Structures are given as structure tokens and as C-alpha cells.
Amino acid sequence: MALSREQVAMRVAQELQDGYYVNLGIGIPTLVANYVPDHIEVMLQSENGLLGMGQYPTKAELDADMINAGKETVTAAKGAAIFNSADSFAMIRGGHVDLTVLGAFEVDQNGSIASWMIPKKLIKGMGGAMDLVAGAKNIIVTMTHASKHGDSKLLESCSLPLTGVNCVKKIVTDLAVLEVRDGAFHLLERAPGVSVDEIISKTAGKLLVDGEIPEMVF
């Protein structure tokens, strides 16, 4: 079975390390805040100017003025800091973000990513994605493995306008965990109940499978 959005976020949360400064993009990445392991401390950064983002608020905690970059209400963790977006982007561009987690329309086998626009479709703007993929030390992408029409999103070369070139290190899809290196996707894990053959059939780019591929563990 393909993973739910929450399960994808849970798997990404396993990539967090103690002391990390992490930016979470709009969509599935924001859910990662709910699954940070109890034994580590990370500081979650939102590019609109919040360092120390907490979990989504309960009804009692809800504050309409406390929002993330996706305009969703959030909470502030202990030790959080609030600042203007110029300082936020100085942090990003200065290389002070250890990990960025963001969604994408396409990723290719060289780690290039297309995430900000589809031609002829209305967009609000590119946001901070280009700064994030250029400035963060590590990039993890969350996405569905294929489109709703069954077309692969893991390609030999991206067809949409690029957000960043040769920058993505790892991808967590609803079917698999893959690492990008040496011009290929390397299959690391598969979703419970998903076969390697299904992943191969839905990956258009070069995919390397080495030995037995374990199922993800949550």
C-alpha cells in the first residue's frame, strides 16, 4: 500500500538529527513537525520569520497571528525566536540551515528539482524554494512517486522549469525512499506491501536496486 501523507512525514522525521536547524516547506513537509523524535532537539525554521516552530495548535492554543510560510497556524516551541523575513533569508542564504524538506513536481536522476511552477497555470510566486535549495546543506524531497495519471515524477531529466540544479540528496515518496548519487536513483527502502517491481515500473529515470530492499519501519 502507498503511504499516507502522515506516514511520509513520519519517515522523513527519522532523518532529523539532534541539533539540526530545519526548514519545512509547504504541504507534506510541514507535517514533519508533528513527528520529531522525543530523544532529539531540532529547531524548525519557517522562512516568514520563525525559528523554533512547534506542532500544529489545538483549538485552545490557536493564535491567528502565529503562522508558517504556508499561512497555516502553528505554535512556537520553547526557545523560539521571531524576526523579519530579511533576517530569515540571511539565515538561509548564509548556509545556516542544516536540512530543507520540500515538495516537488519532478526530480531527476542528477538531483535537479522542479517545484515552483507549471507553465500556463496560475502561481502566487516562487516563494523561498530557490534560496532554500541553494543555501541548505542537505535537501530531502517529499512527493508522490507518480502523478494521478500514473506518470512518473522521478525522471531522467526534469521537463518543468527548475528550482535548483543537482541539489537533492534524498527523496521520500509514497512508495519508496531513494538516494540520489552518481547520476541515478538508488532504492533504499520500500513502503510496506509495495514491491520493488512496482517502484521500478513507476520510475522513469535510472534506478539502481542493490540486493534485498527492506520495508520502511515506523
Coordinates of all heavy atoms in Angstrom, one line a residue, residues 111-114 130 133 162-167:
G111 N 19.6 14.9 -9.4 CA 19.2 15.7 -8.2 C 18.7 17.1 -8.5 O 18.5 17.9 -7.6
S112 N 18.4 17.4 -9.7 CA 17.7 18.6 -10.0 C 16.2 18.6 -9.7 O 15.6 17.5 -9.8 CB 17.9 19.0 -11.5 OG 19.3 19.2 -11.8
I113 N 15.7 19.7 -9.3 CA 14.3 19.7 -8.8 C 13.5 20.8 -9.5 O 14.0 21.9 -9.7 CB 14.3 19.9 -7.3 CG1 12.8 20.1 -6.7 CG2 15.1 21.1 -6.9 CD1 12.7 20.2 -5.2
A114 N 12.2 20.4 -9.8 CA 11.3 21.4 -10.4 C 10.1 21.4 -9.4 O 9.4 20.4 -9.2 CB 10.8 21.0 -11.8
M130 N 13.9 28.6 -4.1 CA 15.2 28.7 -4.8 C 16.4 29.0 -3.8 O 17.5 28.5 -3.9 CB 15.2 29.7 -5.9 CG 14.3 29.2 -7.1 SD 14.3 30.4 -8.4 CE 13.2 29.6 -9.6
V133 N 17.0 25.6 -1.7 CA 17.8 24.6 -2.3 C 19.2 25.0 -2.6 O 20.1 24.1 -2.7 CB 17.1 24.1 -3.6 CG1 15.7 23.5 -3.3 CG2 17.0 25.1 -4.7
L162 N 13.2 24.6 -13.6 CA 13.9 24.2 -12.5 C 13.9 25.1 -11.3 O 14.0 26.4 -11.5 CB 15.4 23.9 -12.8 CG 15.7 22.7 -13.8 CD1 17.1 22.6 -14.1 CD2 15.0 21.4 -13.3
T163 N 13.9 24.6 -10.1 CA 14.1 25.3 -8.9 C 15.5 25.3 -8.5 O 16.1 26.3 -8.0 CB 13.2 24.7 -7.8 OG1 11.9 24.6 -8.2 CG2 13.3 25.6 -6.5
G164 N 16.2 24.2 -8.7 CA 17.6 24.0 -8.3 C 18.2 22.9 -9.1 O 17.5 22.0 -9.6
V165 N 19.5 23.0 -9.3 CA 20.3 22.0 -10.1 C 21.2 21.1 -9.2 O 22.0 21.7 -8.4 CB 21.1 22.7 -11.2 CG1 21.9 21.7 -12.0 CG2 20.2 23.5 -12.1
N166 N 21.1 19.8 -9.4 CA 22.0 18.9 -8.7 C 22.1 19.1 -7.2 O 23.2 19.2 -6.7 CB 23.4 18.9 -9.4 CG 23.4 18.7 -10.9 OD1 22.4 18.2 -11.4 ND2 24.5 18.9 -11.5
C167 N 20.9 19.3 -6.6 CA 21.0 19.6 -5.2 C 20.2 18.7 -4.3 O 20.5 18.6 -3.1 CB 20.3 21.0 -5.0 SG 18.7 21.2 -5.7

